[in-house]
Each structure stands twice: as C-alpha cells, then as structure tokens.
Amino acid sequence: MKIINRPRRLRNSSSIRSLVRETVLNTDDLIFPLFVVEGEGIKKEISSLKNQYHLSVDKLEAEIKEILGLGIKAVMLFGLPDEKDELGSEAYNDNGIVQRAIKEVRRIDKDILVITDICMCQYTDHGHCGIIDHNCTVDNDRTLEYISKIALSHVRAGSDMVAPSDMMDGRIQAIRHTLDENNFEHVSIMAYSAKYSSAFYGPFRAAANSAPGFGDRKTYQMDPANSDEALREVELDLSEGADIVMVKPALCYLDVVRRVKDSFNTPVAVYNVSGEYAMVMAAVEKGLVDEKQIVLEQLTSMKRAGADIIISYHAKEAAKWLKEEEK
Ligand code: PBG
C-alpha cells in the first residue's frame, strides 16, 4: 500500500524529531515548592515525599542558591507554624513563619520570583481552609476577610505573587481589592481556579500537617467528574482579576487544562501534586520505571495539554536533566 504522507518520515532521526517537535519543556516553566518550618538548623526529609525537605529559615540560603544554580527562577512557599488556632491567626502574623521565609528569600536573591500559597488549612487547628461557623461548615464570606489579610501580610513581606488555594467564592475579588487599596496593584494573583477534591493531596497533608480534623473539603473543592464547572470557575476568577489560572492536580485533569487553554487567552498553571510525585517516586524506588524518562514524559504532557507553568516537586531534577540535554 502506498501512503503518500507518512507521518513516520518525520521520526526517522533525532535531528528530524527535534526539528518538528511541537512541545518543548523549559526550566523557565517550572516552579519549585518549599516547606518552611519554625526552628533552626532543620533540614529534614518529609516522610511522605522522598527528597523533599522541611527547612528552617536559616537553611533557605543554600537551598535557594542551589535552585537558582539549576536555572529555576520561581519558588512557591508553604509555611508550617508551630501554633494553630481556630482563626489560623499565624497565617496573617507579619512575623509568622512564611513571612520570615519570604523576607529571607528576598534577602538571598532580589530577583527570584516568590509565590506564596494563601490558605488557612496549615494554620487552623481544625485543618479546614476557612473559618468554621456554628454549624461546623466553612463560612465563605467571613473567610474572605481572613484570606485578604493573609495575602496582604505576605505581600508586605515581599511576596511577588499570591496563590489563593482555598476555593472560597469571591476570594480573587476580595484579595485584588485589598491589594489595590494598599498600593500593591503590581502584585499578581495566581488563582487555584479548578481545584479538585482529590486523593492526590494525601502526601501533602502529611507534609504540611493539614488534614481536616473532621469532615472533608468536598463542599468547597470540585467534583472530579466535572469539567464544565472548571470553565465557570476559571471565568469567574478571571473576571475578578486573576492573572494566572490553575488546574490542580495535573495528570488526571489534562483534558481540563486543554479546555481552559482553548477557552481563555490566559496563562494556565498546573500543580503536579504530592500524590502524583509520591507515586512516581515509589515506582522508581521499586525499579519499575525510569525516573528521568517518566518525569520528563509527564511534565511534557502537561505542557502539551496547554500548561504554561508547572508547579512540581520534580522541578530540581527536571532542571538538571534539561541542562544535561543542552550539552
Ligand atoms: C492548600 C493546599 C493543598 C495543596 C496545595 N495547597 C492541600 C489541599 O488542598 O488539601 C496540595 C499540594 C499537593 O498535594 O502537593 N493549602
């Protein structure tokens, strides 16, 4: 049989393959998450996340220098406070753990992009992402006041971009309003717009000590069965002033990423979450898969689906591999 246009002709050699490659993963696309804890001299591997660490503020310098040396230009900071209470008040303490971490990263390098996760779940004693009312449910509107206070406190400490992950309705507008009122018009917002209620956050909850003490997050996080709803969430967040929208987790939701990318001309981020990372690392440890190949395949798939930005615990390793390939 004679087939005139044989796609295979374009796969003959590695130089043809690279000539016609549609998607290229760059270190510039990557954001590396860091978990900062109280105390001194702490660099302790997180039990649920191999090769990821709880770091005290004084250990950030070596880490940030390593990250920059690999060519990664953005970090996402999570703070783990010692004290938790009903209102998550450490989250908006100007001298709290994440605020001190932001200042330290800023001191180490003035150009690195500092992104901070805005949420209450690591800071509340009940582990929910907001203020609990007398019916034991999260009070959306009261939570917005707190979320705005947290964002302002991070930005005052030097955060370049805030990333609200709580999924409360109206949070982008509330944060944008507060930041603008305080002359932080230039600070951008990356909205966790399509955040699914997912089993893939399991290892993070151990890492951030943020599992809900009662109930679950189904009332405010999205049902994995829905994708039209994701588009509505994205549309609302954009109309409220989000600069970047996020889909989270990544791998099970690449169809959602593609729909978002096709529907809105806006930068799209994906969060390659803890469970996705932990599953790969467990398989690597067992010798079942090749770490470099499987990670680069996954990260490239996220870009192919339409993600411009990838938040990933694999970022450092990926940056090393990408550097090797340049040579
Ligand atoms: C909420 C937050 C979570 C993650 C990022 N921000 C946990 C959650 O919503 O339960 C999960 C990230 C991951 O699993 O790697 N503060």
Side-chain angles (χ1 to χ4, degrees):
M1 184 177 62
K2 197 166 179 216
I3 300 171
I4 306 297
N5 295 318
R6 280 178 188 270
R8 224 166 53 188
R9 269 204 291 268
L10 293 177
R11 299 197 287 265
N12 273 344
S13 72
S14 72
S15 45
I16 298 182
R17 282 196 299 276
S18 57
L19 189 66
V20 298
R21 183 161 297 137
E22 297 169 41
T23 307
V24 180
L25 179 70
N26 299 304
T27 301
D28 281 351
D29 308 324
L30 305 172
I31 298 173
F32 188 61
L34 286 173
F35 296 94
V36 190
V37 294
E38 305 271 9
E40 249 178 76
I42 299 169
K43 180 173 180 182
K44 188 167 180 281
E45 188 169 27
I46 298 171
S47 58
S48 57
L49 294 173
K50 192 169 187 285
N51 294 342
Q52 306 296 319
Y53 294 86
H54 281 144
L55 296 167
S56 53
V57 173
D58 60 311
K59 289 285 185 182
L60 284 170
E61 182 152 4
E63 183 70 25
I64 294 295
K65 291 198 164 146
E66 185 192 352
I67 290 167
L68 289 169
L70 293 169
I72 297 170
K73 300 192 181 78
V75 290
M76 175 118 149
L77 299 179
F78 292 95
L80 276 78
D82 275 350
E83 301 293 324
K84 300 185 184 220
D85 61 27
E86 206 186 339
L87 300 176
S89 45
E90 272 303 294
Y92 50 88
N93 174 354
D94 286 341
N95 207 21
I97 181 65
V98 82
Q99 289 81 355
R100 278 180 282 131
I102 297 166
K103 287 181 204 156
E104 175 63 0
V105 175
R106 258 294 143 265
R107 185 193 66 75
I108 298 163
D109 188 272
K110 64 177 180 21
D111 297 322
I112 189 169
L113 189 75
V114 178
I115 306 166
T116 51
D117 184 87
I118 306 291
C119 196
M120 304 187 69
C121 64
Q122 290 115 264
Y123 296 90
T124 50
D125 50 13
H126 45 71
H128 276 283
C129 304
I131 306 293
I132 303 293
D133 65 16
H134 51 269
N135 298 322
C136 281
T137 55
V138 174
D139 183 335
N140 189 99
D141 293 2
R142 263 189 83 206
T143 301
L144 295 184
E145 283 170 43
Y146 285 86
I147 291 293
S148 304
K149 272 213 276 213
I150 298 169
L152 183 59
S153 155
H154 288 197
V155 170
R156 282 197 174 127
S159 177
D160 298 300
M161 186 186 287
V162 292
S165 62
D166 55 290
M167 285 296 278
M168 297 301 133
D169 293 334
R171 71 214 184 292
I172 304 302
Q173 187 173 33
I175 292 174
R176 187 71 272 161
H177 180 76
T178 303
L179 294 183
D180 291 355
E181 259 192 338
N182 288 277
N183 299 322
F184 289 116
E185 291 94 346
H186 57 283
V187 172
S188 39
I189 302 178
M190 174 158 71
Y192 284 70
S193 300
K195 177 173 180 178
Y196 285 90
S197 172
S198 168
F200 284 96
Y201 310 146
F204 176 94
R205 289 176 184 173
N209 190 11
S210 67
F214 62 88
D216 54 41
R217 298 193 172 120
K218 288 196 169 71
T219 58
Y220 42 98
Q221 298 185 351
M222 283 185 47
D223 181 346
N226 296 352
S227 78
D228 287 348
E229 188 187 347
L231 297 189
R232 288 203 300 278
E233 291 281 2
V234 165
E235 191 174 9
L236 272 173
D237 284 352
L238 289 171
S239 72
E240 292 181 22
D243 301 285
I244 298 171
V245 292
M246 191 202 294
V247 175
K248 173 186 165 188
L251 292 168
C252 286
Y253 301 92
L254 293 183
D255 58 320
V256 178
V257 174
R258 172 48 62 197
R259 287 191 73 189
V260 170
K261 192 66 198 170
D262 286 345
S263 307
F264 304 95
N265 296 316
T266 201
V268 178
V270 288
Y271 198 140
N272 179 206
V273 300
S274 57
E276 299 174 307
Y277 175 84
M279 280 165 60
V280 167
M281 296 310 276
V284 168
E285 224 171 0
K286 288 201 150 190
L288 299 175
V289 293
D290 179 87
E291 182 181 358
K292 174 179 171 181
Q293 286 184 38
I294 207 154
V295 171
L296 291 179
E297 183 175 337
Q298 292 189 339
L299 297 177
T300 302
S301 305
M302 295 169 204
K303 269 209 92 175
R304 193 198 60 240
D308 304 285
I309 299 164
I310 302 170
I311 304 164
S312 178
Y313 305 102
H314 295 294
K316 276 164 62 175
E317 291 309 310
K320 286 179 204 162
W321 297 319
L322 292 171
K323 224 176 195 173
E324 274 165 26
E325 289 192 357
E326 269 171 26
K327 283 184 200 147

